[in-house]
Amino acid sequence: MCVLLIEAFYGGSHKQLMDLLQEELQEDCVLCTLPAKKWHWRARTAALYFMQTVPISPNYRFMPEHKLAHFKKVIGAKRSGDAYQTVVLPGQQKCRALMKTSNAASKSGLCEAQPRLHTTQHEGLPSPLIAVARLNESEASESTNPCQEEDKQHLTFNLSNILSGQDYQQRPLHIVWPHRWEHDKGPETFFEVLLKLKEKDLPFHVSILGEAFSEIPDIFSEAKKVLGSSVLHWGFLPRKDDYFQALCMADVVISTAKHEFFGVAMVEAVYCGCYPLCPKALVYPEIFPAEYLYSTPEQLFKRLQNFCKRPDIVRKHLYKGETAGFSWAALGSKFRSLLTAEPREDL
C-alpha cells in the first residue's frame, strides 16, 4: 500500500507536517502539493485540481463508497449517466472515475451554475473554474512587497546583538506576533492594541515574524511607521534557527486570529518560553488553560498594559499547560499507525 499525501497549501506549519510525514513514511509515500498562496481559493478549488492531476496508482487507499457519494454532493455534481456511478471499482478504475466526474462537472458549467460560490468573491478575482486552471502555475511564495523588501538585509540578524548591554530584567516587554500577514490572522486587532499601548507611552518592543505574500493588508505599513523604535524585527525569518532564537528572546506571544485549526506557531512560541495570549475561541480553549485566553480586544489591551508595567510577571512565570503531547516524538508513531492501518468504514 502507498500513502497519498495531498497538501493544497504547502507552506508554514502545513509544509512542516507534510515533510515530517514524508520523512517518516519514506518510500511508502507520494506527496502532491500546491504553493502556499491564496488559501481561500485553495480551499474552494484545490480538490478539483488534484482530481485531475494526482498520478494514477492501484496502490492508493480510496474513500469508502458512502464518503465518495457524499463528496460528489459537496461539489454539487449533477448525475449524468455513468459519470456518477458509485459501484465498487478497483483502485485504478476508481481514480479514472473520479477524474471523469471532475471533467463532466467542468463541461456542465458546474461552478458557473452555482451563484452561491461567488458570494465572497472579491472584485477582480477570477471565477472558480479559471482559478482551477491557474493553480498549477508556478508562483514564488516570497513577497515582493516593499513592506518586507526593505528588511531583507536583516533576515538573519541576531536579536541578542540588538539587546546586548541591557540588563534582562530592565528590558521593555518584548511582544512577538509569528503569523501570516493576512486578514484571517487579525492583524488589525493586534496593531490596534499595540498603538493604544504606544499612545499611553508604555514601554515595549515588538517583533513581527510571520510570512507575507503578494497582497499585504495596509495596516502593516501604517503600523510600522507609528511604532517606530518599538520595532525590534519586521519580516519573515526563513531560517528556523533564527526564528526560534527570536521566539526565545520574546516575553509574550499573541494571537488575534479569526481562523485557526490548531495554532502551531503559538505552541512553538510557548515551547520557547513565551507567555501566550489567545482569543477565547476557535481551537485555543482546547490547547491553553483559561488564564491565557481573552474575550475582547479590551481585555487583551489590559493584560498587555499590566505586563508592560511589570514585565517581570511574565519572565518569572511558569507555563501551566502541557506541550509535550504536541511534539513529534509523541505524535509520530500515532500518525504512522493511522496512515498504515487497514482501511475501515470509519476511517
Side-chain angles (χ1 to χ4, degrees):
M1 184 194 73
C2 183
V3 175
L4 174 63
L5 299 176
I6 296 177
E7 177 52 66
F9 196 85
Y10 190 56
S13 58
H14 298 244
K15 182 180 185 299
Q16 187 174 336
L17 175 58
M18 289 298 107
D19 290 347
L20 283 170
L21 291 175
Q22 189 175 34
E23 180 181 345
E24 180 77 10
L25 297 168
Q26 296 179 0
E27 70 277 0
D28 297 329
C29 172
V30 173
L31 176 61
C32 297
T33 67
L34 282 168
K37 299 273 285 184
K38 306 290 185 182
W39 67 265
H40 46 294
W41 280 109
R42 294 288 188 257
R44 291 178 175 186
T45 59
L48 297 177
Y49 170 80
F50 283 122
M51 286 168 66
Q52 300 175 68
T53 57
V54 169
I56 296 174
S57 171
N59 298 318
Y60 297 146
R61 179 196 300 170
F62 286 87
M63 290 184 287
E65 288 304 310
H66 67 283
K67 292 187 179 181
L68 185 62
H70 174 70
F71 174 70
K72 291 170 183 175
K73 292 179 182 178
V74 169
I75 65 171
K78 299 176 181 179
R79 293 188 176 275
S80 176
D82 64 352
Y84 301 96
Q85 291 178 6
T86 56
V87 297
V88 178
L89 299 171
Q92 206 168 35
Q93 290 173 301
K94 185 173 290 186
C95 190
R96 293 195 181 106
L98 280 168
M99 293 174 69
K100 189 175 184 181
T101 299
S102 173
N103 293 335
S106 297
K107 291 176 182 177
S108 66
L110 162 66
C111 294
E112 294 174 344
Q114 303 289 330
R116 284 175 294 179
L117 291 175
H118 299 274
T119 54
T120 58
Q121 183 173 333
H122 294 288
E123 184 178 347
L125 288 179
S127 71
L129 282 178
I130 296 174
V132 171
R134 293 179 178 174
L135 279 175
N136 61 350
E137 295 179 3
S138 176
E139 298 178 305
S141 61
E142 183 177 289
S143 171
T144 57
N145 190 290
C147 192
Q148 278 201 340
E149 190 75 22
E150 63 192 60
D151 284 316
K152 282 189 175 180
Q153 69 271 25
H154 299 303
L155 290 181
T156 58
F157 82 93
N158 193 325
L159 280 175
S160 59
N161 290 338
I162 294 178
L163 298 174
S164 61
Q166 284 185 292
D167 179 72
Y168 174 67
Q169 295 298 336
Q170 299 302 316
R171 295 172 187 166
L173 184 77
H174 186 181
I175 301 166
V176 65
W177 195 82
H179 310 286
R180 282 186 288 108
W181 293 23
E182 295 188 291
H183 289 292
D184 66 304
K185 296 303 180 183
E188 293 84 2
T189 299
F190 174 71
F191 287 120
E192 179 185 340
V193 170
L194 256 60
L195 294 179
K196 285 179 66 177
L197 296 175
K198 189 77 172 177
E199 288 175 6
K200 292 185 174 293
D201 292 324
L202 291 166
F204 68 91
H205 285 149
V206 62
S207 291
I208 308 297
L209 306 181
E211 187 172 4
F213 299 94
S214 55
E215 297 180 16
I216 299 177
D218 294 338
I219 188 64
F220 283 92
S221 58
E222 296 167 3
K224 185 179 180 182
K225 294 176 183 177
V226 179
L227 290 172
S229 60
S230 295
V231 175
L232 276 189
H233 180 71
W234 194 273
F236 179 57
L237 291 171
R239 291 183 65 248
K240 272 290 184 181
D241 288 346
D242 293 336
Y243 175 71
F244 287 129
Q245 182 187 39
L247 293 181
C248 289
M249 296 296 294
D251 299 310
V252 179
V253 60
I254 295 180
S255 171
T256 46
K258 302 174 184 177
H259 170 276
E260 190 63 78
F261 288 120
F262 179 67
V264 172
M266 294 298 292
V267 173
E268 286 179 335
V270 169
Y271 192 82
C272 290
C274 292
Y275 186 106
L277 286 175
C278 317
K280 191 176 182 180
L282 308 172
V283 74
Y284 294 119
E286 301 176 33
I287 302 173
F288 299 104
E291 71 173 276
Y292 305 110
L293 306 177
Y294 64 87
S295 298
T296 65
E298 289 72 25
Q299 289 183 3
L300 175 60
F301 169 76
K302 289 179 180 178
R303 297 290 298 277
L304 287 175
Q305 180 179 236
N306 188 35
F307 292 160
C308 286
K309 296 176 180 178
R310 292 282 309 280
D312 59 296
I313 295 176
V314 293
R315 290 170 183 165
K316 295 176 181 178
H317 179 80
L318 295 178
Y319 179 64
K320 298 177 182 177
E322 179 58 54
T323 58
F326 302 121
S327 69
W328 186 246
L331 295 175
S333 60
K334 294 180 181 179
F335 270 105
R336 185 174 183 86
S337 296
L338 177 64
L339 293 172
T340 59
E342 288 299 317
R344 302 195 314 267
E345 287 292 301
D346 59 340
L347 284 179

